[in-house]
Amino acid sequence: MVSSVPLHQPAHSFISYHNLKGLRHGWAPPRPNFPSIFNTENNIRPIKASVETSPFPLFQPPQVEDSPSEMEPADPDFYKIGYVRSMRAYGIEFKEGPNGFGVYASKDVEPLRRARVIMEIPLELMLTISKKLPWMFFPDIIPVGHPIFDIINSTNPETDWDLRLACLLLFAFDREGNFWQLYGDFLPSADECTSLLLASEDDLLELQDQNLASTMREQRQRALEFWEKNWHSAVPLKIKRLARDSERFIWAVSMAQSRCINLQMRIGALVQDANLLIPYADMLNHSFQPNCFFHWRFKDRMLEVMINAGQQIKKGDAMTVNYMNGQKNNMFMQRYGFSSSVNPWDVIQFSGDAQIHLDSFLSVFNISGLPEEYYHNGRLSNEGDSFVDGAVIAAARTLPTWSDGDVPPIPSAERKAVKELQEECQQMLAEFPTTSKEDQKILDSMPQARRTLEAAIKYRLHRKLFIEKVIQALDIYQERILF
């Protein structure tokens, strides 16, 4: 990922978007009482895509839930509106299925020494706002004197990036002939979003995480207060029609948060850190082991999506980027509305004094590298060993450990420390109102749940699965090292 403020990026939940033709003109259809189901594990898209895996993952990927046969080529209009404006794609195709849009390889890609381009998106198609004063946006679509300019100008460029982008997005929807009027037809409606900004109070309670629920209440209230301040009864029609009700504006904020990409951009001699909404690139799925990255080509004012050098990709594989590096599940939920039980950066907060020997633990699972770049050396593993995944990598980072050069661990002391750590993990699980098995049964019993409700239940399920995997890893550590 290229963003310090979490990307849209990709990320990320479901459904087909061809029926959203009225989206740019007004609010989406009312939220039904029964929605669909969010997805899980390694490679995920918050707003639209399915759970996908990178071709050669560092960690063992979870089982993919969707079969390729469920994917259908995107509507030709989806390509056309960009191609007539100089957007280009090479060796890829956009598909949509039960979980929404994704980008897939249309042919086998052999590993090369140099990265290669799969997408080119010109600056003219993007919605951008600089992050510092004096703020600028591009393209220059807001006429001088338009009241939306004053609304954007009243915000703080460094903290209100999502509110600012939401205003610009809504304005672009309302501008006749603007590219985003057409592209907006392919964006998800409020009912198709997993963003917790759109979650009900009941959905937030299902997170079983008071801190995250409180954060999302505050974020929603912030967006609501901004709308009430600027969309009051006395505002002119040209502003009022952009977001006639608060839910429309909060939806726009969720689009801005989940699709924003942060890059340093140069226009002429001016170099700026900017928040960008980049069409087509925002259809890339998330992966903790991505096969693509973003590159800004200053000379031609073009964003390139490139395949990692040396990456082998099979036809039909998902093209992925990393939305946020080094972030825990609560941050992914906050920004994109999804989580993963194999997030290699998730953390368990231990409070006891027990510690295990770091080098011994790493060697048992064939984990190498520094903490910021741990990886599993699968070549050293037993054939068919699929236990090590992102959760075990996270355990290596989060478990209390000790290390003292070549001093070997004392088996009895290690065994005692393992037992204490496992007991603390069991205590954490006991504090949840439900177990992981109960959570899974709940999900299985409501295949058409609200997106936000499902995302909330998935979040607490993934937390429990992560803790359970750590307990299992400690069991294996004892078996392989101490006996």
Side-chain angles (χ1 to χ4, degrees):
M1 179 194 103
V2 188
S3 165
S4 46
V5 178
L7 251 224
H8 80 197
Q9 257 166 319
H12 146 257
S13 302
F14 300 157
I15 236 169
S16 165
Y17 305 130
H18 291 323
N19 297 323
L20 306 181
K21 301 299 181 184
L23 184 61
R24 64 179 181 267
H25 300 299
W27 180 227
R31 181 193 298 262
N33 291 326
F34 55 91
S36 139
I37 245 182
F38 179 62
N39 237 321
T40 82
E41 320 289 1
N42 192 3
N43 309 320
I44 337 166
R45 178 154 208 61
I47 310 294
K48 50 214 172 288
S50 59
V51 175
E52 297 296 343
T53 58
S54 56
F56 285 77
L58 207 53
F59 320 122
Q60 281 293 335
Q63 187 173 0
V64 178
E65 296 180 359
D66 302 311
S67 67
S69 61
E70 294 178 321
M71 304 301 293
E72 296 181 0
D75 189 317
D77 285 346
F78 181 70
Y79 294 87
K80 182 178 179 181
I81 61 175
Y83 271 56
V84 298
R85 295 168 174 84
S86 299
M87 179 271 176
R88 293 292 180 265
Y90 310 101
I92 61 170
E93 54 188 338
F94 296 89
K95 293 182 180 181
E96 59 176 334
N99 301 335
F101 273 101
V103 186
Y104 299 86
S106 60
K107 60 182 180 181
D108 290 346
V109 178
E110 294 304 316
L112 297 175
R113 292 184 179 181
R114 306 172 74 181
R116 80 292 311 270
V117 177
I118 60 169
M119 263 192 262
E120 295 177 313
I121 303 108
L123 177 64
E124 284 70 19
L125 292 190
M126 307 173 196
L127 295 179
T128 76
I129 295 186
S130 59
K131 296 168 72 171
K132 295 184 181 295
L133 291 171
W135 73 271
M136 299 176 60
F137 54 85
F138 190 91
D140 188 6
I141 60 175
I142 302 181
V144 176
H146 194 286
I148 197 69
F149 184 96
D150 295 328
I151 292 177
I152 295 176
N153 202 37
S154 70
T155 61
N156 184 322
E158 298 188 43
T159 60
D160 297 333
W161 58 273
D162 50 349
L163 303 179
R164 294 150 59 79
L165 273 181
C167 290
L168 191 58
L169 180 63
L170 290 170
F171 178 82
F173 286 158
D174 188 61
R175 184 172 171 83
E176 196 63 36
N178 185 270
F179 164 81
W180 284 85
Q181 270 201 336
L182 302 173
Y183 193 74
D185 292 343
F186 299 95
L187 297 179
S189 68
D191 297 325
E192 296 162 338
C193 292
T194 59
S195 171
L196 295 183
L197 286 175
L198 299 164
S200 67
E201 179 60 27
D202 288 343
D203 294 346
L204 294 179
L205 293 176
E206 294 294 341
L207 290 166
Q208 296 180 1
D209 184 333
Q210 294 182 359
N211 292 333
L212 178 57
S214 177
T215 297
M216 297 316 302
R217 291 186 194 101
E218 292 172 359
Q219 286 199 16
R220 179 179 173 84
Q221 185 61 28
R222 165 177 165 264
L224 180 60
E225 290 175 355
F226 183 84
W227 178 83
E228 290 174 342
K229 175 183 176 182
N230 296 289
W231 268 263
H232 51 81
S233 58
V235 299
L237 178 61
K238 62 175 69 176
I239 289 296
K240 188 171 295 185
R241 71 189 181 201
L242 301 184
R244 293 184 181 273
D245 57 61
S246 59
E247 290 300 305
R248 170 68 169 173
F249 181 74
I250 293 174
W251 170 84
V253 174
S254 74
M255 290 294 100
Q257 287 189 359
S258 62
R259 292 167 184 273
C260 174
I261 299 173
N262 302 320
L263 288 174
Q264 191 174 69
M265 192 174 60
R266 186 168 73 193
I267 303 176
L270 183 64
V271 178
Q272 291 182 315
D273 292 322
N275 304 121
L276 301 86
L277 292 178
I278 304 178
Y280 300 102
D282 65 358
M283 296 297 175
L284 288 159
N285 289 336
H286 164 79
S287 172
F288 293 114
Q289 292 300 311
N291 51 28
C292 295
F293 66 95
F294 296 123
H295 172 254
W296 181 257
R297 201 167 71 211
F298 290 106
K299 181 179 178 181
D300 301 314
R301 303 198 306 183
M302 188 86 67
L303 179 82
E304 296 175 327
V305 179
M306 306 184 77
I307 299 176
N308 295 340
Q311 182 78 59
Q312 183 180 36
I313 297 173
K314 298 293 186 182
K315 180 179 178 180
D317 282 339
M319 313 308 293
T320 58
V321 292
N322 189 344
Y323 290 5
M324 295 190 295
N325 189 43
Q327 295 292 341
K328 298 185 293 183
N329 273 346
N330 61 342
M331 287 303 299
F332 277 96
M333 281 298 292
Q334 218 180 115
R335 183 69 181 269
Y336 307 110
F338 73 82
S339 58
S340 169
S341 65
V342 293
N343 180 350
W345 296 99
D346 221 10
V347 171
I348 296 177
Q349 298 293 345
F350 290 93
S351 58
D353 298 326
Q355 294 179 319
I356 58 173
H357 190 253
L358 175 61
D359 293 339
S360 297
F361 184 84
L362 296 179
S363 65
V364 161
F365 297 105
N366 297 309
I367 297 172
S368 305
L370 300 173
E372 297 302 306
E373 49 188 31
Y374 276 146
Y375 66 93
H376 173 229
N377 192 337
R379 293 184 179 181
L380 299 178
S381 301
N382 296 328
E383 186 175 353
D385 182 4
S386 61
F387 181 78
V388 179
D389 57 15
V392 180
I393 299 290
R397 291 194 177 100
T398 195
L399 284 169
T401 59
W402 66 276
S403 183
D404 188 11
D406 297 327
V407 177
I410 301 173
S412 59
E414 286 292 289
R415 187 183 305 116
K416 182 175 183 292
V418 165
K419 292 297 183 184
E420 290 180 11
L421 292 173
Q422 287 180 318
E423 288 173 3
E424 189 165 355
C425 286
Q426 294 289 3
Q427 290 172 3
M428 294 176 191
L429 292 173
E431 291 174 0
F432 286 104
T434 57
T435 66
S436 59
K437 290 183 178 179
E438 289 170 340
D439 290 341
Q440 190 60 60
K441 286 182 179 179
I442 292 172
L443 290 171
D444 293 341
S445 69
M446 49 179 212
Q448 289 187 314
R450 291 188 306 280
R451 302 286 196 276
T452 49
L453 172 60
E454 183 185 8
I457 297 174
K458 288 277 188 177
Y459 172 75
R460 76 194 198 203
L461 170 61
H462 291 159
R463 182 63 176 167
K464 295 162 193 171
L465 292 177
F466 171 46
I467 298 174
E468 290 171 0
K469 191 65 175 276
V470 172
I471 294 174
Q472 287 181 281
L474 290 169
D475 271 335
I476 293 174
Y477 175 55
Q478 291 185 85
E479 293 170 3
R480 295 184 182 177
I481 282 292
L482 303 180
F483 300 100

